[in-house]
Amino acid sequence: MASQYKGHLMLTNIKWSPVEFKTYPGHLSNRAHELPPVDLFVTTADPVLEPPIITVNTVLSLLALDYPANKLACYVSDDGGSPLTFYSLLESINFAKLWVPFCKKYNVKVRAPFQYFSDQEPLIFGGISSDFREEWKKLKNEYDKLQQKIEEATKHCHPYHLNYMFDDFSKIERGNHSSIVKILWENKDNFPEGLPHLVYVSREKRPKHAHHYKAGAMNVLTRVSGVMTNAPFMLNVDCDMYANNPQVVLHAMCLLLESNHKGEEYAFVQYPQFFYGCLPGDPFGNHMIVLQEYLMRGIAGIQGPLYGGTGCFHRRKVIYGESPVQPKNTRSNVNGKSIEMTLKSKFGYSAELVVSVANLLSGKNKKMLRPSDISSSVKAAIEVADCSYESNTDWGTNVGWVYGSATEDILTGLGIHKRGWRTAYLAPNPHAFLGCAPSGGPACLTQQKRWATGLLEILFSRNNPVIATITGDLQFRQCLMYLYINLWGARSIPELCYALLPAYCLLTDSSFMPTVSKKAFLVPASLFTIYNLYTLLEYLRCGLPVRAWWNYQRMARIISSTAWLFGVLSVVLKLLRLSETVFELTRKDQNNQDDDADIDPGRFTFDDSPIFVPGTALVLVHISALGWTLLRAVRNSGFTSRSGLGEIICSAWVVLSLLPFAKGLFRRGKYGIPYSTIFKSKILVGLFIYFCISVSRN
Ligand SMILES: O=c1ccn([C@@H]2O[C@H](COP(=O)(O)OP(=O)(O)O[C@H]3O[C@H](CO)[C@@H](O)[C@H](O)[C@H]3O)[C@@H](O)[C@H]2O)c(=O)[nH]1
Ligand SMILES: [Mn+2]
């Protein structure tokens, strides 16, 4: 708990001046001809962990956005290089040709078909024309067919080879293949009511070449779209984050096309991350509703929100490394080097890319309509997707998504704030994007471990927030905010010490809490009460149940003693150059494919990962300590020892927080902790008890 109180001061800084924007996209929709082009990016990396039907739905929701179709282009990056993903996208085109006009004609609210068709029929049909009813049925039927085709292709090896489009995939080896860029659909007629361009990109991968995970994929998408459509704005979403509000682009444009009262442009507009199919009571404490409501709004009032990796509209020139006040360079020579040479050394050798960058930076492409013919740029696009393209360029450092952290989003956003940009946070109603939150122990902890790792990596990078404030234009309060967030993982160490303290006291018959009968006891007791009431109040004010608050508190303790601790370990190993940090994907399909009959998706699950060892050991230590105290009390007929009620309450609180682990000791299957984990934990417990005994003997 103590580390929570210290965090509170930092939190006060963050929450001090919250900001909320209200946008009126209606004002823009009658200025359609002035709207700028926008490139839409979707990333996927594994057809098993991220089933293609999820990606297809996200793509369909983007193709159907309320925005002139000839100003949108959608690019899908597939790091898995999977023919299945490609096949699914290709198959979805015919459905999209029906779906997009249908959505626009009837002003459909939710444009991800799986979500739209999950609604009950009568609910939709109430008082609605028979035309609509017919079309609805037809589309539902078409969507079912599409889904079935994809399912079949997933189960059986599909005869991809029958189609020339699949040639590139015939001999593909995962992680070792050349770049593939395929135009799945081209809006040749430049038709505002048609379908936006849809392009499939799988960048070149070679075993010996670092590919920088998602950051690498984003940079390839930036370049590929640069040579094809070069829109001044780019939206990026994860494959599971479908657009839930058809007006997201218009909302974002309300802020991106204007500047604030000081005349400053916003570098990017970040939407919050909300989730669909949420389990009641948020059993894994990861719906982030309260976090975004208070934290993100607060940050929005300092220098602007963090970049969250998904649901964000970027200004392309910012991604290209521009600063808010860019020195005007009208000469064609800089220090004797031609501008072209300078751009080549920053952006790489592709002549097409350099021209597109020059056009963009000079603002030439602002009014320009997107080129309707993109097939002529496929060759250039393949070239910029090669894995050696970035060597000796600024990609990954001063240009594009920044490399060196498993949370490339925070690192990239920090670089933008460091250059002095302001950013904007927008939370429209209905929610802009919805994705799937991980569920189950292993998926949740893996995600948290990656976040803790990535956030800590940033502290050890040249983009450390303190350095960014001293040498760059990161505001002081924004720097404090970044420090608070980046230190999340490091909090696991003091938390673990505090969590062990009551057990240590009970085992060694010592105390760290004042005796309950003394007035001093009121100090920790009131801090404890105020902290919990305050956090509870935040939940209630967001309209969430008490259960959600408790689950969050509980998961926060579990996460910091397991996932965050492993995050710290992996950063230490990286600093010692013993291993590299990796981006472990979060599984996207929820529990619906399980064959357990008594399935309870809210119940904590385990696997044999070592990540569960510290939590198991912690709960065992406390059970032993409490048992030992009880035994002593029985022997001495009463609690006469030095450690008293304070320690017992604290110890019981730890067990309560780690209740899923305590229960897991007695369960089997995926709800139980594997024997090997329990065995390893018992060794740790033995060592700890031995340590306590030797201390109390001295
Ligand atoms: O080598 C990789 C690894 C990941 N991804 C994509 O990155 C996205 C995010 O991956 P996911 O497993 O869903 O991670 P999350 O923890 O859910 O993602 C959050 O955290 C990430 C940083 O750790 C951010 O990049 C994400 O935008 C943010 O939603 C997905 O679309 C992946 O397909 C790639 O394209 N290539
Ligand atoms: Mn995700």
Side-chain angles (χ1 to χ4, degrees), residues 36-55:
V38 180
D39 288 337
L40 315 167
F41 300 160
V42 181
T43 46
T44 180
D46 186 318
V48 177
L49 297 175
E50 305 181 325
I53 190 73
I54 293 185
T55 311

Side-chain angles (χ1 to χ4, degrees), residues 19 214 389 396 414 462 538 678:
V19 156
K214 182 179 168 195
Y389 184 80
L414 173 57
R462 65 186 189 107
E538 283 189 333
I678 298 184

Side-chain angles (χ1 to χ4, degrees), residues 334-350:
V334 190
N335 304 333
K337 263 184 168 178
S338 75
I339 290 221
E340 197 194 328
M341 286 306 287
T342 323
L343 288 183
K344 273 203 170 149
S345 68
K346 269 179 92 171
F347 293 89
Y349 54 79
S350 160

Side-chain angles (χ1 to χ4, degrees), residues 42-46 50 77-79 203 205 211-215 217-218 236-241 273 307-310 406-409 436 438 447 450-451 583-588:
V42 181
T43 46
T44 180
D46 186 318
E50 305 181 325
S77 152
D78 177 17
D79 265 352
R203 57 188 168 134
K205 284 218 175 145
H211 59 79
H212 305 289
Y213 306 100
K214 182 179 168 195
M218 292 308 302
N236 99 273
V237 292
D238 292 348
C239 61
D240 56 321
M241 284 269 160
Q273 266 198 51
Y307 165 40
T310 177
T407 48
E408 78 302 323
D409 45 355
C436 31
Q447 185 185 48
R450 162 154 47 75
W451 289 354
F583 190 120
E584 286 174 78
L585 273 188
T586 314
R587 175 176 280 279
K588 302 292 186 307

